[in-house]
Amino acid sequence: MRAEPAVSIVLVAVIFGLGSPAVAQEWTLEKDQVVEEPEPYSPYVDQHFPQRVFFGDTHHHSSLSMDSGLIGNTLGPDVSFRFARGEEMRTSHGQRVRLIRPLDFLVVSDHAEYLGIADLLNSADPTLLATEAGRKWYAAMKAGGEAGWDMTIEISNEFTTGEPSYRDPKTERTVWERVVDIASQYNEPGKFTAFNGYEYTPAPGGNNLHRVVVFRDGPDRVKQVLPFILAIPHNPNLSNGVMFAETVNGKAMTRDYAERRARWEPLLEITQMKGDSEAHPLLSPEDEFADFENWDVGNLGGFPKEDGMVRYEYARSALQVGIRLEDKLGVNPFKFGMIGSSDTHTSMSTMREENFFGKLPHYEPSATRYKEMILRNIQTGEVMLSAWQTGASGLAAVWAHENTRESLFDAMTRKEVYATTGGRITVRVFAGWSFEPDEVQRPDFAAQGYARGVPMGGDLTSAPSGAAPTFMVRALRDPDGANLDRVQIIKGWLRADGETQERIYDVAVSDGREIGADGRCKTPVGSTVDVPDASYTNSIGDALLMGYWKDPDFDPDERAFYYVRVIEIPTPRWTAYDAKRFGIEMPEEIPMTVQDRAYTSPIWYTP
């Protein structure tokens, strides 16, 4: 039943008859007249929750970034978008490359600092080369190799100290408007989203505090600003304990700072080529999956890590720090959703192990790339990290209504997102107070989840008397990837004494294995990987895993968070594909297999 607006409406029907003049007739729909309309037969006309997951890359550099264009990348942001949309391209060194499937969205996040300076150097811009800084940079670029890399570090440090050697606001504005125009050219609402964005790159003392900035708006709004604000933190594992510190500039964190941090940084990039930052075995010794692609040797400046720093660099421990600070300040500064992205500096977002083209121009597939140096100890000169320690990771997955800037951005702000380390695993989780075990198998699983609970990124409050949170989880393998080993829920909580705790629960496991009374499956999934042949089969694991879980240790007076981790069966790592392709015998310390995974944004419980 539908009530029409309280106005008089005149309807004019013009009836044309054969061989007769037109006849006009008027009807008047009286004010407040009610028109009968049956309930819709289709169950989907009033369904307004997200039904699609979109995969993309929110951290991507083209030749406009100084630490890309100065060390060999010749491909601009137009190539970045064309490649992400599925076109076959050639790398800076001439190799053919293509994605297995196009991405759904891309943020070309070139460094705001000296944006486009590499293009000016590559074209030997006379105005730039007339300056002392320009001549020095040009010589380093021509020398290439470590000289070019060292120069990019030096240039980055100039903006950290606030003393850049060269500034030309007119050039900056021109380049930024060009970047926005290129994104507009490739943005196709409903099919492919080209976001406007950039990277802001503070690194005081070499501590990585970089952020990727993503705009919701199109060119009319974005062109009004120059690129300097904050957004998505990344690489906390290279910040030497600063990224999630409980102090700010040596002083205790205030409520005002916590509120601004929570408002402007709703997401964290927890996995990419420079290591995985979900968990660390030193912090989670009972988690056999925590030792995954960890980088814990130092910061971007090559200063070694000291005891106690790791706690403030990994997502799981940062979430624990966040609920403790919330108990103290009334606001959780680290209430972030979790995504992955590539941090590629080649204009190519290649995140799959068998299609990994490196994250720097000189790390393209070759017989020697695994040996390349990544980071040196600034005090001893020793190599801290080598190229074989880079990961093929990662992807950002977003549950949204449609593939548009507005819809994807809104999903990011509500944290209905998750991270994968490269594959396109589909994951959905809902938490509520009344889900039953068999409901995870319902065909309207998602509709029930939204109607009676909250999705990833959501909040539970005011626990009903005697109730505990219940969870429904579904995970589906990448159709072009590996089967799944298990689905886990990781819980962190704040005890009454102010100490934080964590625990891992297996909620679904493959191949008929059993979960014990302690909530853990002790039987490994096994492996089908043939390392010399760089191959595997999906004869183990499951394509789909579904799980129901009710928190057996819930205390309604304790703050808590929960997130889902989905783990694949073992597959060949990119190093195994290199070994086969180039006939290399890799050193024993280099891992040749990997268990890729996905991490959802948390769901928080607040008393």
Side-chain angles (χ1 to χ4, degrees):
M1 184 174 292
R2 180 183 67 198
E4 294 295 332
V7 295
S8 292
I9 303 174
V10 177
L11 304 177
V12 180
V14 180
I15 306 171
F16 292 91
L18 292 175
S20 60
V23 179
Q25 186 172 358
E26 294 188 0
W27 293 270
T28 300
L29 184 64
E30 296 298 329
K31 182 178 180 180
D32 296 327
Q33 182 175 339
V34 175
V35 178
E36 293 288 339
E37 181 174 296
E39 290 295 321
Y41 181 88
S42 171
Y44 310 115
V45 294
D46 293 320
Q47 191 177 84
H48 302 301
F49 56 81
Q51 278 285 48
R52 297 179 63 190
V53 62
F54 299 97
F55 293 95
D57 188 2
T58 61
H59 187 181
H60 174 111
H61 297 274
S62 77
S63 63
L64 295 183
S65 286
M66 57 187 174
D67 59 351
S68 176
L70 291 184
I71 57 173
N73 184 13
T74 61
L75 309 174
D78 55 329
V79 173
S80 299
F81 286 121
R82 290 172 60 192
F83 182 75
R85 287 167 59 101
E87 289 189 44
E88 179 184 308
M89 305 301 295
R90 287 192 180 269
T91 68
S92 294
H93 297 290
Q95 298 193 59
R96 297 171 61 198
V97 57
R98 187 175 185 176
L99 294 176
I100 190 170
R101 280 173 283 150
L103 296 181
D104 297 307
F105 62 91
L106 178 66
V107 184
V108 177
S109 57
D110 283 312
H111 291 289
E113 298 86 351
Y114 288 134
L115 179 66
I117 203 76
D119 267 12
L120 295 177
L121 290 170
N122 277 301
S123 62
D125 180 75
T127 302
L128 179 56
L129 294 186
T131 67
E132 180 181 353
R135 290 191 294 272
K136 181 174 65 173
W137 299 339
Y138 187 75
M141 182 191 71
K142 288 298 184 182
E146 290 191 24
W149 180 248
D150 291 343
M151 184 55 62
T152 63
I153 299 299
E154 180 180 323
I155 294 173
S156 298
N157 290 337
E158 289 183 1
F159 272 85
T160 297
T161 62
E163 299 178 356
S165 300
Y166 176 82
R167 290 296 301 272
D168 183 350
K170 182 179 179 181
T171 297
E172 291 172 358
R173 168 66 68 181
T174 300
V175 174
W176 175 238
E177 291 187 354
R178 175 189 164 201
V179 167
V180 174
D181 287 341
I182 291 173
S184 298
Q185 177 184 351
Y186 290 99
N187 186 58
E188 190 173 352
K191 182 177 180 181
F192 179 84
T193 294
F195 278 107
N196 294 294
Y198 61 87
E199 180 176 342
Y200 172 64
T201 319
N207 297 325
N208 188 339
L209 300 180
H210 300 184
R211 266 77 171 171
V212 167
V213 177
V214 182
F215 288 91
R216 185 179 191 271
D217 303 300
D220 292 344
R221 294 285 300 277
V222 175
K223 284 186 178 181
Q224 296 176 22
V225 301
L226 283 174
F228 279 100
I229 57 174
L230 304 179
I232 306 173
H234 58 270
N235 293 131
N237 59 334
L238 289 171
S239 72
N240 273 7
V242 178
M243 183 67 81
F244 298 114
E246 299 180 54
T247 59
V248 181
N249 296 325
K251 298 180 180 179
M253 187 181 296
T254 64
R255 181 186 176 98
D256 175 67
Y257 176 89
E259 288 176 341
R260 287 185 285 120
R261 183 79 176 253
R263 177 183 179 185
W264 295 110
E265 297 184 356
L267 303 179
L268 172 67
E269 180 186 290
I270 69 166
T271 185
Q272 58 133 287
M273 62 85 70
K274 294 197 290 289
D276 192 272
S277 302
E278 183 246 346
H280 193 283
L282 290 177
L283 305 173
S284 305
E286 297 182 3
D287 181 359
E288 69 270 34
F289 295 104
D291 188 13
F292 179 75
E293 303 284 350
N294 292 140
W295 281 24
D296 60 1
V297 296
N299 66 9
L300 276 179
F303 291 97
K305 209 171 297 295
E306 299 175 2
D307 292 344
M309 290 180 174
V310 171
R311 177 170 177 75
Y312 301 101
E313 296 188 324
Y314 284 80
R316 189 185 303 175
S317 53
L319 290 167
Q320 294 176 34
V321 171
I323 58 175
R324 189 173 69 245
L325 287 172
E326 183 180 22
D327 195 58
K328 176 182 177 183
L329 302 174
V331 177
N332 185 345
F334 306 139
K335 194 172 183 179
F336 49 76
M338 299 196 285
I339 61 169
S341 282
S342 72
D343 194 17
T344 183
H345 286 61
T346 67
S347 303
M348 307 284 176
S349 292
T350 56
M351 300 88 160
R352 292 174 65 95
E353 304 291 337
E354 79 280 6
N355 196 37
F356 180 55
F357 272 68
K359 300 301 171 77
L360 295 170
H362 48 296
Y363 297 164
E364 287 187 17
S366 74
T368 59
R369 67 166 168 170
Y370 74 94
K371 300 178 182 180
E372 292 279 353
M373 183 274 298
I374 293 285
L375 189 65
R376 289 191 187 276
N377 186 311
I378 197 170
Q379 298 165 339
T380 66
E382 296 179 358
V383 174
M384 300 171 72
L385 290 164
S386 298
W388 64 262
Q389 292 169 283
T390 61
S393 205
L395 278 171
V398 180
W399 283 102
H401 296 278
E402 57 186 359
N403 190 359
T404 63
R405 286 172 173 164
E406 296 78 12
S407 186
L408 294 174
F409 188 94
D410 291 348
M412 292 177 188
T413 59
R414 67 176 182 265
K415 309 181 183 78
E416 199 166 352
V417 299
Y418 61 95
T420 88
T421 60
R424 303 191 194 188
I425 303 170
T426 300
V427 192
R428 209 155 205 181
V429 56
F430 296 97
W433 302 108
S434 61
F435 296 135
E436 296 296 332
D438 61 347
E439 289 189 282
V440 72
Q441 299 181 8
R442 291 181 58 150
D444 62 346
F445 152 83
Q448 293 300 316
Y450 282 107
R452 295 162 42 218
V454 297
M456 62 184 78
D459 291 273
L460 292 175
T461 58
S462 305
S465 178
T470 54
F471 293 79
M472 300 189 298
V473 187
R474 281 187 184 177
L476 180 67
R477 65 167 247 201
D478 183 329
D480 298 301
N483 274 346
L484 306 179
D485 169 6
R486 67 186 68 201
V487 173
Q488 302 176 309
I489 288 181
I490 288 89
K491 176 187 177 182
W493 70 96
L494 181 68
R495 298 189 320 204
D497 62 4
E499 294 298 316
T500 55
Q501 297 288 308
E502 68 175 60
R503 188 169 175 183
I504 301 166
Y505 299 87
D506 292 320
V507 299
V509 294
S510 66
D511 300 320
R513 291 173 294 157
E514 293 185 357
I515 299 173
D518 62 351
R520 297 305 309 277
C521 175
K522 301 298 194 299
T523 307
V525 71
S527 178
T528 64
V529 176
D530 182 332
V531 171
D533 191 49
S535 64
Y536 73 99
T537 68
N538 278 321
S539 56
I540 61 173
D542 286 347
L544 171 67
L545 289 176
M546 298 183 290
Y548 167 88
W549 182 74
K550 183 176 183 178
D551 187 350
D553 304 306
F554 180 68
D555 185 330
D557 296 324
E558 295 177 340
R559 299 178 188 274
F561 63 83
Y562 307 82
Y563 67 90
V564 171
R565 181 171 66 183
V566 180
I567 298 177
E568 292 181 352
I569 65 172
T571 58
R573 193 173 182 265
W574 69 265
T575 45
Y577 288 106
D578 270 20
K580 179 187 178 184
R581 171 66 177 80
F582 300 109
I584 305 167
E585 185 173 344
M586 291 283 185
E588 188 174 329
E589 69 271 18
I590 295 180
M592 304 296 278
T593 64
V594 66
Q595 281 190 265
D596 280 311
R597 55 201 62 194
Y599 315 110
T600 72
S601 292
I603 293 171
W604 288 267
Y605 168 73
T606 304

